[in-house]
Amino acid sequence: MRFKDEDWEKEIRKEPFASSSFQDQHKQNVLRQVEWMKTGEEHVNDAPDHKQKKHINRRNRRNVRSRPRKVVVVTTVAVAAAAAIMWNGHVLEPFVEKVYPVSALQLSDDPSMNLLTSEMKQTVAMTMRDYLGKQLEVHYAKKGPITGWVYIEAGDVNKSEYAKMWLDGKTGALVEADMRSEMPGNELEHRFLRQVPGLLKGINSDPTLKPISARRYVKMKQGQEKPVWFTTLFLENGKGSGSIEWTRDEAVSVSGTVSSDTVSTDLITNARSTIEALSGEGAPALKSVTFNQNDKQLEETTDLYFGDRYLVRSVSGRFSNAYTVMDFQRGVPELETGEEYELYFEKLSNMDEKIIRQNAAPIIREIFGIDLDKYTFERDTENIGMATFRLKEMANTIQVRYEENARITMITISDL
């Protein structure tokens, strides 16, 4: 597609660039490329010996043909690359890297890099580009004596960005992978970013929430044809926040701040009552509401935040329902020494069941109209300070969180 120089500025203001989250940066790139091409052409045409060189070139056409051909090819590729960057703004993928992905691969000076064949390098570069979304420096490689696989590490496996891959020692093909990366939200691939406004509108949230940060997890086990990648984008502006999760390229969970008008008055009224029963005092004003639609788990969740400490959560799902009220400001206290923490957790672990029941029963009866006498008691050994009341005849459970004085700070009832 070609346009006259004077038409470039008009074209970049049309769709899809007008609504693109990369609009300003994209326009700057286009204008810089246009100015560069204009300037280069003017300098050539205005040169005093331009006509003379043109005449010499005609006389020595045979000599010229043998040398500039490489230059012409390189120039053509450069112009094509510039055009791809400008007119393929939705992908924002360098043309050279797409044609020759190894050009972006980062390798350390470690001698083990000599194990990597050209096929392996291409696999690593393409896997990071297509699934991780960025290139991490490869700093270690090792060949397995039994499998013949070549194992590589990139980034820092102890931090937020790393890549571990197992490659076929003969073909260089990817066998297994375990990768993670983080990036600013606006650097996420456009195929994800372009979905954001529509997905937020779909749950009645603010479509102008801005991408803040993104996380990417990539997994592949032996026998799988290609990796599976999981992406989470965090969004925020002065009015609210949200997040979107993708499995591969499919959005599976969308959450965002919504207006209280989208929530039933009964849910808000009941939430106030549950906070009063839990805290023993009046509920503060409703501060914000967050709605989450999870297509993977087939659930819809509404979070009501009251003041700066209380949360009421209502989960409605195809397979189960749940209701939670909690004081999220109360948790493990800040203690000075390890011995104090050890004594604190020991006290929680050894707290008598009768004391926990005595404190939980009145609140549960007031909120849900349930008598705990028929429920068995189970202590959560993995989460100290948590306990579960279970009814054998039915599937529903009641989980509570308690402090060292047996004060109940959270109640969750499942399978209502």
Side-chain angles (χ1 to χ4, degrees):
M1 182 182 294
R2 294 183 178 179
F3 296 93
K4 295 181 180 180
D5 290 345
E6 59 269 17
D7 292 333
W8 281 97
E9 290 84 353
K10 297 178 182 179
E11 291 300 324
I12 63 172
R13 290 178 173 84
K14 296 180 180 180
E15 293 292 344
F17 308 118
S19 60
S20 173
S21 57
F22 297 99
Q23 181 184 4
D24 293 336
Q25 180 181 355
H26 174 75
K27 287 196 295 185
Q28 292 175 8
N29 289 339
V30 173
L31 293 173
R32 278 198 295 267
Q33 294 291 341
V34 172
E35 289 302 320
W36 175 76
M37 287 187 287
K38 286 182 180 178
T39 304
E41 185 178 352
E42 290 173 358
H43 286 174
V44 173
N45 291 334
D46 293 341
D49 59 343
H50 176 65
K51 294 182 179 180
Q52 182 178 358
K53 289 182 179 179
K54 201 170 184 180
H55 179 67
I56 293 174
N57 287 340
R58 286 199 191 100
R59 288 191 309 169
N60 300 285
R61 190 166 294 173
R62 290 184 180 179
N63 295 334
V64 173
R65 281 178 183 173
S66 62
R67 294 176 57 193
R69 181 166 296 178
K70 292 183 180 180
V71 177
V72 171
V73 172
V74 172
T75 304
T76 303
V77 171
V79 173
I85 294 171
M86 290 188 290
W87 288 103
N88 201 12
H90 285 288
V91 179
L92 293 177
E93 184 177 62
F95 182 81
V96 174
E97 183 184 346
K98 185 173 183 179
V99 176
Y100 185 56
V102 179
S103 64
L105 183 63
Q106 302 175 34
L107 299 176
S108 71
D109 295 331
D110 191 272
S112 64
M113 296 298 98
N114 294 328
L115 288 173
L116 302 181
T117 64
S118 58
E119 291 81 8
M120 293 178 186
K121 292 177 182 178
Q122 179 157 336
T123 297
V124 172
M126 291 179 64
T127 301
M128 287 190 187
R129 182 197 68 188
D130 295 341
Y131 301 109
L132 197 60
K134 65 193 311 181
Q135 298 288 342
L136 303 179
E137 183 182 76
V138 181
H139 58 79
Y140 176 75
K142 181 180 179 181
K143 188 171 184 178
I146 300 176
T147 62
W149 296 351
V150 174
Y151 167 75
I152 68 103
E153 283 185 5
D156 191 334
V157 296
N158 297 316
K159 294 184 179 180
S160 60
E161 294 195 323
Y162 65 84
K164 296 187 288 185
M165 298 184 201
W166 290 260
L167 310 170
D168 188 299
K170 295 181 179 179
T171 65
L174 185 67
V175 179
E176 293 188 5
D178 181 12
M179 303 187 288
R180 175 180 174 175
S181 70
E182 292 185 359
M183 64 192 82
N186 59 2
E187 292 183 6
L188 190 63
E189 295 94 332
H190 190 77
R191 68 178 187 272
F192 296 105
L193 292 176
R194 67 185 177 188
Q195 301 177 41
V196 171
L199 291 172
L200 292 173
K201 283 183 180 179
I203 62 168
N204 294 317
S205 187
D206 183 359
T208 65
L209 289 174
K210 301 298 182 183
I212 302 301
S213 63
R215 294 176 184 172
R216 173 74 51 78
Y217 297 89
V218 183
K219 301 286 184 180
M220 179 176 174
K221 295 297 183 181
Q222 184 181 5
Q224 291 181 323
E225 293 183 1
K226 61 181 181 179
V228 179
W229 58 101
F230 308 89
T231 306
T232 302
L233 175 65
F234 300 95
L235 306 137
E236 191 177 297
N237 62 15
K239 300 177 182 179
S241 61
S243 65
I244 301 175
E245 298 178 16
W246 289 268
T247 298
R248 295 188 173 92
D249 289 344
E250 180 183 1
V252 296
S253 178
V254 184
S255 67
T257 302
V258 298
S259 170
S260 59
D261 296 337
T262 63
V263 182
S264 69
T265 55
D266 288 342
L267 180 59
I268 297 176
T269 301
N270 292 335
R272 294 185 187 279
S273 299
T274 58
I275 291 174
E276 292 172 359
L278 180 72
S279 64
E281 57 188 26
L286 178 62
K287 188 174 183 179
S288 65
V289 181
T290 300
F291 180 79
N292 174 266
Q293 180 176 296
N294 192 316
D295 294 336
K296 187 175 183 179
Q297 299 178 0
L298 301 176
E299 290 181 348
E300 292 184 350
T301 302
T302 302
D303 288 340
L304 306 173
Y305 293 91
F306 291 83
D308 295 323
R309 63 185 307 165
Y310 295 107
L311 165 66
V312 174
R313 171 173 293 168
S314 177
V315 181
S316 176
R318 176 174 294 184
F319 305 107
S320 64
N321 300 301
Y323 189 90
T324 299
V325 55
M326 73 166 67
D327 182 348
F328 58 81
Q329 287 286 6
R330 301 188 71 90
V332 178
E334 294 186 5
L335 304 175
E336 294 183 357
T337 65
E339 293 181 355
E340 290 179 325
Y341 279 107
E342 186 176 347
L343 291 173
Y344 174 80
F345 290 120
E346 183 178 355
K347 189 171 184 179
L348 292 179
S349 300
N350 297 328
M351 185 171 294
D352 193 281
E353 175 187 337
K354 292 181 179 179
I355 299 177
I356 300 174
R357 280 183 177 272
Q358 289 173 1
N359 284 271
I363 303 174
I364 293 172
R365 187 182 302 111
E366 182 177 352
I367 297 175
F368 305 110
I370 293 176
D371 191 345
L372 283 183
D373 291 342
K374 298 180 180 180
Y375 284 71
T376 60
F377 177 85
E378 297 178 6
R379 206 180 298 273
D380 191 336
T381 56
E382 295 184 358
N383 298 288
I384 300 176
M386 301 282 287
T388 301
F389 295 95
R390 194 180 303 276
L391 190 63
K392 293 183 179 180
E393 293 81 5
M394 300 179 66
N396 68 308
T397 60
I398 301 174
Q399 190 178 45
V400 300
R401 184 181 68 192
Y402 58 91
E403 295 183 333
E404 59 179 336
N405 59 359
R407 175 177 177 173
I408 305 301
T409 60
M410 185 207 75
I411 299 174
T412 296
I413 184 168
S414 303
D415 293 318
L416 292 172

